[in-house]
């Protein structure tokens, strides 16, 4: 593995709203900062149609907000390179970040790797993934003009993205309970939309296809056990999120589900390792909260590095006196 020569003050892993904000705060504090990202900067914002709860914009397209955040983040000298981080090794006061064939040395690291979509785990889901099964309305919605869609889930993502999909298609939201989990404003909009219908108390048990593409879903009502088959051309699955933290499990900083545990300053149990945004164990996962976490972590990383420098200088002075 090739280790880069430069020793960074801070390496931020993941360039979603949390990671970008952390990099902005760290670089603006004059810390040498590297942003490692394995995809396109923006994280989940790239998969979000419209954002209407980010202050400063009445409404803005997710990818546009991502681009604007990236531009403002990079103005203070942070570096950004591609990197798919597989491991962090603690080596005294250094943290070694392993990403593919490269490794990077840093004093502090901020983990901002977000979450990924939970799979439904039913027959047909894997087989028709990309051929009618999707987890991203913004990416795939336009392929379904004039068609019929099932959307699975009852949270913010299912109801908001389901409503977004009505500009292309008729949408049936299949939810396992008789009430939605989504925010009230998102629910109200869906209830008012004539192109959205609901199948309550029901599970999608199978996704059917003709070998090439999705043709329908098999739905079971949990109260009556009645099984029905509904003809649809696509299935959008939004049944929750899981932490993107496999690379950090051996550090012992996650809970049983893999969410990273921090205090209110975004510090994990290991000094110099911070975690922010959706990957962190917390209640409200939003762009605003990821950004807030990022600001706090950037700021605390600065304080941590100042302390580290003071400690090293004091140790050096003590060693010189002893000589
Ligand atoms: P993410 O945005 O998930 O970014 C994490 C980044 O880390 C990604 O770019 C990923 O590629 C990178 N990464 C992961 N692992 C690695 C690795 N090992 N190495 C390198 N890079 C890695 N919130 C709102 O406030 N308003 C909304 O309207 C809204 N709509 C949403 C719609 C949908 C469909 C979804 C799923 C979520 C929505 N949210 C919304 C929630 C919001 O998107 C998240 O809370 C927010 O993006 C979390 O930011 P983050 O920086 O923690 O992580
Ligand atoms: P979520 O809030 O966890 O909702 C998941 C939904 O899927 C729930 O309704 C759940 O049902 C259902 N579900 C879970 N497992 C299932 C299964 N095996 N079979 C069928 N249904 C299942 O996840 P999310 O909607 O993806 O939201 C993730 C995060 O992003 C949240 O923090 C959310 O607030 C945020 N977000 C915010 C916005 C916004 O602010 N505009 C938009 C999108 C997302 P139950 O309700 O019965 O548990």
């Amino acid at each position: 593995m090739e280790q880069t020569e430069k020793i960074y003050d801070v390496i931020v892993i993941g360039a979603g709203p949390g990671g970008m904000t952390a990099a902005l705060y760290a670089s603006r504090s004059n810390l040498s900062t590297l942003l490692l990202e394995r995809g396109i900067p923006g994280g989940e914002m790239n998969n979000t149609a419209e954002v209407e709860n980010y202050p400063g914009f009445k409404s803005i397209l997710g990818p546009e907000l991502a681009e604007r955040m990236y531009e403002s983040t990079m103005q203070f000298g942070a570096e950004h390179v591609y990197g798919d981080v597989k491991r962090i090794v603690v080596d005294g006061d250094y943290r070694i970040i392993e990403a593919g064939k490269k490794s990077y040395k840093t004093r502090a690291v901020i983990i901002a790797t977000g979450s990924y979509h939970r799979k439904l785990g039913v027959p047909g889901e894997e087989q028709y993934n990309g051929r009618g099964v999707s987890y991203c309305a913004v990416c795939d919605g336009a392929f379904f003009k004039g068609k019929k869609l099932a959307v699975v889930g009852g949270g913010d993502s299912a109801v908001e993205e389901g409503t977004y999909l009505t500009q292309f298609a008729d949408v049936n939201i299949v939810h396992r309970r008789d009430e939605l989990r989504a925010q009230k404003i998102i629910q109200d909009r869906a209830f008012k939309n004539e192109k959205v219908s609901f199948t309550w108390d029901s599970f999608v048990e199978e996704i059917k296809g003709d070998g090439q593409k999705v043709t329908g879903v098999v739905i079971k009502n949990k109260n009556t056990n009645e099984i029905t088959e509904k003809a649809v051309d696509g299935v959008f699955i939004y049944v929750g999120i899981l932490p993107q933290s496999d690379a950090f499990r051996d550090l012992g900083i996650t809970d049983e589900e893999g969410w990273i545990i921090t205090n209110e300053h975004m510090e994990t149990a290991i000094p110099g390792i911070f975690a922010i945004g959706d990957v962190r164990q917390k209640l409200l996962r939003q762009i605003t909260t990821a950004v807030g976490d990022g600001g706090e972590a950037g700021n605390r990383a600065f304080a941590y590095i100042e302390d580290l420098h003071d400690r090293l200088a004091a140790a050096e002075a003590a060693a010189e006196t002893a000589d």
Side-chain angles (χ1 to χ4, degrees), residues 37-186:
E37 165 60 56
R38 68 180 179 196
I40 302 168
E44 279 297 347
M45 293 186 295
N46 289 320
N47 305 325
T48 302
E50 238 176 287
V51 177
E52 339 179 282
N53 52 357
Y54 191 75
F57 303 96
K58 270 185 161 171
S59 163
I60 182 165
L61 298 176
E64 190 187 342
L65 183 58
E67 210 175 306
R68 285 183 183 231
M69 276 194 200
Y70 183 71
E71 274 171 20
S72 65
T73 294
M74 300 313 288
Q75 68 183 311
F76 298 112
E79 294 171 41
H80 162 215
V81 298
Y82 168 83
D84 187 359
V85 174
K86 300 292 186 204
R87 203 156 80 106
I88 299 174
V89 178
V90 176
D91 176 12
D93 285 329
Y94 294 111
R95 311 285 170 255
I96 313 299
I97 315 295
E98 296 180 355
K101 289 186 179 144
K102 284 203 169 169
S103 75
Y104 301 85
K105 201 167 186 176
T106 181
R107 295 184 173 87
V109 50
I110 300 175
I111 302 169
T113 46
S115 60
Y116 63 96
H117 301 279
R118 189 200 298 273
K119 295 266 165 80
L120 198 52
V122 298
E125 183 176 15
E126 286 300 326
Q127 187 184 354
Y128 293 106
N129 189 0
R131 293 190 286 159
V133 172
S134 173
Y135 304 84
C136 177
V138 190
C139 320
D140 300 328
F143 295 122
F144 296 94
K145 282 199 179 114
K147 307 272 180 173
K148 285 192 169 61
L149 295 173
V151 172
V152 191
D156 287 340
S157 296
V159 184
E160 191 163 56
E161 302 303 306
T163 307
Y164 164 82
L165 285 167
T166 59
Q167 65 187 291
F168 310 111
D170 286 319
V171 170
N172 183 251
I173 295 179
V174 183
H175 183 38
R176 64 182 179 183
R177 292 189 290 135
D178 63 356
E179 61 178 355
L180 298 170
R181 177 182 293 279
Q183 296 164 57
K184 178 101 178 32
I185 185 168
I186 294 175

Side-chain angles (χ1 to χ4, degrees), residues 4-15 19-28 30-39 41 69-83 102-106 108 110:
T4 51
E5 276 176 29
K6 183 166 177 178
I7 299 172
Y8 289 92
D9 290 322
V10 179
I11 290 184
V12 181
I13 308 171
M20 287 199 275
T21 310
L24 188 160
Y25 271 65
S27 55
R28 193 163 176 272
N30 249 346
L31 300 178
S32 60
T33 305
L34 176 67
L35 187 55
L36 280 173
E37 165 60 56
R38 68 180 179 196
M69 276 194 200
Y70 183 71
E71 274 171 20
S72 65
T73 294
M74 300 313 288
Q75 68 183 311
F76 298 112
E79 294 171 41
H80 162 215
V81 298
Y82 168 83
K102 284 203 169 169
S103 75
Y104 301 85
K105 201 167 186 176
T106 181
I110 300 175

